[in-house]
Amino acid sequence: MRGLLACVPCLLLCTMAPVAAVSTDDLEGYWEINRPASGGLPAADICLRFNKLTASAEAKFVESRKLAWTDPDSKSATITLSGTVKVKALEGTAYPEYPNGELNFTSTRAQFRYGEPTSEIQTFQTQAATMSSVDANGTQRDYQRVCLYAFGGEEMDDIDILRITCLPTNDPHAGINAVLGFGAPPQADYPMVIETSTVKPEVFQRDKTKRCLRHGIKQGHFGNCILPSMTGYRLWIELAATFSTFSTSDLNRVLKDVSEYLKVPLGQLNHITTSPGSVVLQILVSGYPEGSQELESRLDQMISEIQEGVLTLGGYVVLIVYYIWYNYIPPPKASDSLPAWSVIIMILSTLVFLCWMGYTLQCRTMVLKMEKEYTEGKGKKYQRVSEQRAHDKHDYSYNPVSTEHR
């Protein structure tokens, strides 16, 4: 009996060990989810970042969401939300009754980035304006989202998987607030969110490479067919500007700010194109090898700042930044000489023609010789019989060369 009682503390420690392995600090970083369209809800690519969780009780969050509807209009929109989040640790023994903790998000800023079709942009902008606790007039509103969270695995100790169940629940009719929506705060600070048959957690994966930052990028704006004529990093910058009034001086100010931000000499920034939507600049950054950590870290920092706040270049708000490595392959040089394959074809054609001429002349000589042999000693001139002459096909004695049948 004493031995059994002595094992009880050991059993308790073994049971509690997985729970003690995780903490609120494990939320720090980037989380992503690629949610397919279902039940009237749009497809959603969401990038959620928790920042400064250990610095204060009220941490910061940034959420970038790209939504795409499957209706006939094929609507799509991207929005970035930022604000504060209160994190409260719980016992974490069973989900959802005892999850790892509670989250209370407060959206203080909502930035609409793009939308399609263009006829829906005004609607999207209006919806985005209602997702922030501070409106354009500076009026304070309570706009929150309360959630339970638990890490993955049966023991809730897989810190690379995060399950979140929130109120208000997902609403297909809420526009760009349809998935992981924000609403009026509940009566309690941290209400119990119970998983039911209709309420399921959103399952996020930890994103160690920060690739989810590019969820908000509109690839269609960057499909410019004009390619650079040198090797380097192709950089697209979309500005909140009017294309018709964007001037050369505006471009020069933007390039100057890009040079200072990336710490790249202005001579290594090669402007390729300026295209609408709002204003999209294509720039090639030369002088860096492929995979340059120095340059890519600064470009990633620029993307991160766009997601977290307002970044301006040349006095214009930057909406989107995107970059790829581009390897320039020069076209073949023009030459006055004929290509080798054409010379070979000409030689072969000439040989075939000469063979045909030789064969034709040889056949003509043989025909003349035969004519001469058939007319020798007969005292009659050789005559050909028309091919149209009627004769019995079964009469094998018929000789068109002979004159005996005439």
Side-chain angles (χ1 to χ4, degrees), residues 113-116 118 121 218-222 236-244 246 274-281 319-320:
R113 295 196 172 275
Y114 83 86
E116 288 186 340
T118 54
I121 290 180
K218 175 66 173 65
Q219 298 286 354
H221 287 171
F222 307 139
W236 287 270
I237 300 176
E238 183 172 350
L239 305 172
T242 304
F243 179 74
S244 59
F246 193 78
T274 301
S275 54
S278 311
V279 170
V280 179
L281 303 178
L319 300 178
I320 298 171

Side-chain angles (χ1 to χ4, degrees), residues 3 9 161 169 199 354:
I161 298 176
T169 58
V199 178
L354 292 176

Side-chain angles (χ1 to χ4, degrees), residues 226-291:
I226 299 179
L227 300 176
S229 57
M230 61 182 70
T231 296
Y233 281 89
R234 289 178 75 186
L235 173 64
W236 287 270
I237 300 176
E238 183 172 350
L239 305 172
T242 304
F243 179 74
S244 59
T245 60
F246 193 78
S247 64
T248 304
S249 60
D250 297 328
L251 171 63
N252 292 335
R253 288 200 310 271
V254 173
L255 291 177
K256 182 176 181 296
D257 285 355
V258 173
S259 173
E260 294 176 355
Y261 189 100
L262 298 179
K263 299 180 181 179
V264 174
L266 196 58
Q268 294 179 219
L269 299 179
N270 304 277
H271 173 244
I272 307 301
T273 57
T274 301
S275 54
S278 311
V279 170
V280 179
L281 303 178
Q282 182 186 180
I283 302 170
L284 186 119
V285 184
S286 60
Y288 289 88
E290 183 179 4

Side-chain angles (χ1 to χ4, degrees), residues 59 68 86 114 166 203 219 253 278 297 341 377 386-387 401 404:
K86 294 181 180 179
Y114 83 86
C166 299
V203 181
Q219 298 286 354
R253 288 200 310 271
S278 311
S297 63
W341 61 268
S386 172
E387 293 182 358
V401 179
E404 296 179 0

Side-chain angles (χ1 to χ4, degrees), residues 65-335:
R65 61 173 71 174
K66 179 179 179 181
L67 306 176
W69 287 262
T70 56
D71 58 12
D73 294 333
S74 299
K75 296 188 300 183
S76 61
T78 289
I79 185 173
T80 298
L81 302 162
S82 59
T84 59
V85 56
K86 294 181 180 179
V87 185
K88 179 181 179 182
L90 297 176
E91 295 180 10
T93 56
Y95 182 80
E97 290 81 4
Y98 301 99
N100 289 117
E102 297 171 338
L103 303 169
N104 191 346
F105 296 87
T106 300
S107 172
T108 58
R109 185 170 177 270
Q111 183 178 7
F112 171 76
R113 295 196 172 275
Y114 83 86
E116 288 186 340
T118 54
S119 58
E120 295 288 336
I121 290 180
Q122 184 61 47
T123 301
F124 288 142
Q125 289 177 333
T126 302
Q127 293 175 357
T130 60
M131 294 177 65
S132 173
S133 60
V134 181
D135 60 18
N137 298 323
T139 305
Q140 183 73 31
R141 290 192 300 257
D142 288 331
Y143 226 62
Q144 296 179 333
R145 178 178 69 204
V146 292
C147 311
L148 294 177
Y149 76 89
F151 290 102
E154 294 182 0
E155 303 294 338
M156 298 188 295
D157 58 350
D158 187 349
I159 60 172
D160 289 332
I161 298 176
L162 182 66
R163 296 172 290 186
I164 299 180
T165 303
C166 299
L167 288 178
T169 58
N170 296 335
D171 181 4
H173 306 290
I176 56 178
N177 200 22
V179 182
L180 286 178
F182 283 83
Q187 298 298 320
D189 292 337
Y190 297 98
M192 179 63 69
V193 182
I194 300 297
E195 180 180 354
T196 66
S197 59
T198 57
V199 178
K200 297 293 183 182
E202 302 291 352
V203 181
F204 287 77
Q205 301 286 334
R206 185 181 296 277
D207 180 13
K208 299 179 181 179
T209 63
K210 303 182 184 180
R211 68 175 182 271
C212 69
L213 284 175
R214 294 171 176 80
H215 284 333
I217 291 175
K218 175 66 173 65
Q219 298 286 354
H221 287 171
F222 307 139
N224 200 305
C225 61
I226 299 179
L227 300 176
S229 57
M230 61 182 70
T231 296
Y233 281 89
R234 289 178 75 186
L235 173 64
W236 287 270
I237 300 176
E238 183 172 350
L239 305 172
T242 304
F243 179 74
S244 59
T245 60
F246 193 78
S247 64
T248 304
S249 60
D250 297 328
L251 171 63
N252 292 335
R253 288 200 310 271
V254 173
L255 291 177
K256 182 176 181 296
D257 285 355
V258 173
S259 173
E260 294 176 355
Y261 189 100
L262 298 179
K263 299 180 181 179
V264 174
L266 196 58
Q268 294 179 219
L269 299 179
N270 304 277
H271 173 244
I272 307 301
T273 57
T274 301
S275 54
S278 311
V279 170
V280 179
L281 303 178
Q282 182 186 180
I283 302 170
L284 186 119
V285 184
S286 60
Y288 289 88
E290 183 179 4
S292 170
Q293 294 184 355
E294 178 186 2
L295 180 60
E296 290 189 4
S297 63
R298 294 173 187 156
L299 290 169
D300 289 337
Q301 180 182 349
M302 180 181 288
I303 295 173
S304 179
E305 285 192 19
I306 294 171
Q307 300 293 330
E308 298 177 7
V310 177
L311 174 66
T312 60
L313 295 173
Y316 294 101
V317 175
V318 181
L319 300 178
I320 298 171
V321 170
Y322 178 64
Y323 70 90
I324 61 172
W325 171 258
Y326 175 72
N327 188 25
Y328 174 66
I329 301 177
K333 296 182 179 180
S335 175

Side-chain angles (χ1 to χ4, degrees), residues 374-403:
Y374 274 110
T375 56
E376 281 181 353
K378 295 185 179 182
K380 295 182 180 181
K381 187 178 179 181
Y382 172 79
Q383 296 180 353
R384 287 197 179 95
V385 179
S386 172
E387 293 182 358
Q388 301 298 326
R389 174 170 177 160
H391 62 274
D392 186 357
K393 295 181 179 179
H394 301 287
D395 182 6
Y396 299 103
S397 64
Y398 175 74
N399 185 0
V401 179
S402 175
T403 59

